[in-house]
PDB file of all heavy atoms in Angstrom:
ATOM      1  N   ARG A 201     153.436 325.883 186.933  1.00 83.00           N
ATOM      2  CA  ARG A 201     152.024 325.892 186.556  1.00 83.00           C
ATOM      3  C   ARG A 201     151.083 325.571 187.699  1.00 83.00           C
ATOM      4  O   ARG A 201     151.335 324.704 188.521  1.00 83.00           O
ATOM      5  CB  ARG A 201     151.808 324.860 185.440  1.00 83.00           C
ATOM      6  CG  ARG A 201     150.369 324.705 184.969  1.00 83.00           C
ATOM      7  CD  ARG A 201     150.292 323.711 183.822  1.00 83.00           C
ATOM      8  NE  ARG A 201     148.985 323.738 183.159  1.00 83.00           N
ATOM      9  CZ  ARG A 201     148.024 322.863 183.368  1.00 83.00           C
ATOM     10  NH1 ARG A 201     148.210 321.882 184.225  1.00 83.00           N
ATOM     11  NH2 ARG A 201     146.876 322.950 182.717  1.00 83.00           N
ATOM     12  N   TYR A 202     149.990 326.313 187.716  1.00 75.00           N
ATOM     13  CA  TYR A 202     148.798 325.911 188.444  1.00 75.00           C
ATOM     14  C   TYR A 202     147.668 325.912 187.440  1.00 75.00           C
ATOM     15  O   TYR A 202     147.464 326.915 186.741  1.00 75.00           O
ATOM     16  CB  TYR A 202     148.470 326.860 189.606  1.00 75.00           C
ATOM     17  CG  TYR A 202     147.229 326.414 190.335  1.00 75.00           C
ATOM     18  CD1 TYR A 202     147.319 325.461 191.342  1.00 75.00           C
ATOM     19  CD2 TYR A 202     145.981 326.871 189.959  1.00 75.00           C
ATOM     20  CE1 TYR A 202     146.180 325.000 191.966  1.00 75.00           C
ATOM     21  CE2 TYR A 202     144.836 326.412 190.579  1.00 75.00           C
ATOM     22  CZ  TYR A 202     144.944 325.465 191.588  1.00 75.00           C
ATOM     23  OH  TYR A 202     143.805 324.992 192.198  1.00 75.00           O
ATOM     24  N   SER A 203     146.914 324.847 187.336  1.00 58.00           N
ATOM     25  CA  SER A 203     145.950 324.725 186.239  1.00 58.00           C
ATOM     26  C   SER A 203     144.653 325.438 186.565  1.00 58.00           C
ATOM     27  O   SER A 203     143.744 324.880 187.156  1.00 58.00           O
ATOM     28  CB  SER A 203     145.659 323.254 185.936  1.00 58.00           C
ATOM     29  OG  SER A 203     145.053 322.644 187.042  1.00 58.00           O
ATOM     30  N   THR A 204     144.563 326.713 186.180  1.00 47.00           N
ATOM     31  CA  THR A 204     143.271 327.399 186.279  1.00 47.00           C
ATOM     32  C   THR A 204     142.344 326.893 185.193  1.00 47.00           C
ATOM     33  O   THR A 204     141.131 326.922 185.336  1.00 47.00           O
ATOM     34  CB  THR A 204     143.435 328.915 186.116  1.00 47.00           C
ATOM     35  OG1 THR A 204     144.070 329.181 184.868  1.00 47.00           O
ATOM     36  CG2 THR A 204     144.277 329.477 187.231  1.00 47.00           C
ATOM     37  N   THR A 205     142.919 326.463 184.055  1.00 46.00           N
ATOM     38  CA  THR A 205     142.116 325.889 182.988  1.00 46.00           C
ATOM     39  C   THR A 205     142.843 324.682 182.435  1.00 46.00           C
ATOM     40  O   THR A 205     144.054 324.571 182.542  1.00 46.00           O
ATOM     41  CB  THR A 205     141.896 326.882 181.839  1.00 46.00           C
ATOM     42  OG1 THR A 205     143.155 327.194 181.256  1.00 46.00           O
ATOM     43  CG2 THR A 205     141.240 328.157 182.328  1.00 46.00           C
ATOM     44  N   GLY A 206     142.095 323.787 181.839  1.00 47.00           N
ATOM     45  CA  GLY A 206     142.713 322.580 181.299  1.00 47.00           C
ATOM     46  C   GLY A 206     142.927 321.567 182.404  1.00 47.00           C
ATOM     47  O   GLY A 206     142.987 321.881 183.580  1.00 47.00           O
ATOM     48  N   GLU A 207     143.058 320.326 182.027  1.00 52.00           N
ATOM     49  CA  GLU A 207     143.235 319.264 182.999  1.00 52.00           C
ATOM     50  C   GLU A 207     144.668 319.243 183.509  1.00 52.00           C
ATOM     51  O   GLU A 207     145.559 319.883 182.974  1.00 52.00           O
ATOM     52  CB  GLU A 207     142.917 317.918 182.332  1.00 52.00           C
ATOM     53  CG  GLU A 207     143.800 317.699 181.120  1.00 52.00           C
ATOM     54  CD  GLU A 207     143.763 316.281 180.605  1.00 52.00           C
ATOM     55  OE1 GLU A 207     143.206 315.406 181.265  1.00 52.00           O
ATOM     56  OE2 GLU A 207     144.324 316.069 179.540  1.00 52.00           O
ATOM     57  N   VAL A 208     144.874 318.507 184.583  1.00 55.00           N
ATOM     58  CA  VAL A 208     146.215 318.314 185.111  1.00 55.00           C
ATOM     59  C   VAL A 208     146.810 317.107 184.405  1.00 55.00           C
ATOM     60  O   VAL A 208     146.492 315.968 184.713  1.00 55.00           O
ATOM     61  CB  VAL A 208     146.181 318.076 186.637  1.00 55.00           C
ATOM     62  CG1 VAL A 208     147.585 317.846 187.150  1.00 55.00           C
ATOM     63  CG2 VAL A 208     145.541 319.255 187.343  1.00 55.00           C
ATOM     64  N   ALA A 209     147.648 317.335 183.427  1.00 65.00           N
ATOM     65  CA  ALA A 209     148.273 316.262 182.659  1.00 65.00           C
ATOM     66  C   ALA A 209     149.579 316.787 182.096  1.00 65.00           C
ATOM     67  O   ALA A 209     149.743 317.983 181.855  1.00 65.00           O
ATOM     68  CB  ALA A 209     147.358 315.790 181.529  1.00 65.00           C
ATOM     69  N   LEU A 210     150.520 315.870 181.886  1.00 74.00           N
ATOM     70  CA  LEU A 210     151.845 316.265 181.445  1.00 74.00           C
ATOM     71  C   LEU A 210     151.797 316.982 180.103  1.00 74.00           C
ATOM     72  O   LEU A 210     152.595 317.881 179.846  1.00 74.00           O
ATOM     73  CB  LEU A 210     152.750 315.030 181.359  1.00 74.00           C
ATOM     74  CG  LEU A 210     154.256 315.287 181.314  1.00 74.00           C
ATOM     75  CD1 LEU A 210     154.706 316.050 182.546  1.00 74.00           C
ATOM     76  CD2 LEU A 210     155.011 313.977 181.198  1.00 74.00           C
TER      77      LEU A 210
END
Side-chain angles (χ1 to χ4, degrees):
R201 178 177 192 259
Y202 180 85
S203 63
T204 57
T205 63
E207 58 167 350
V208 179
L210 197 59

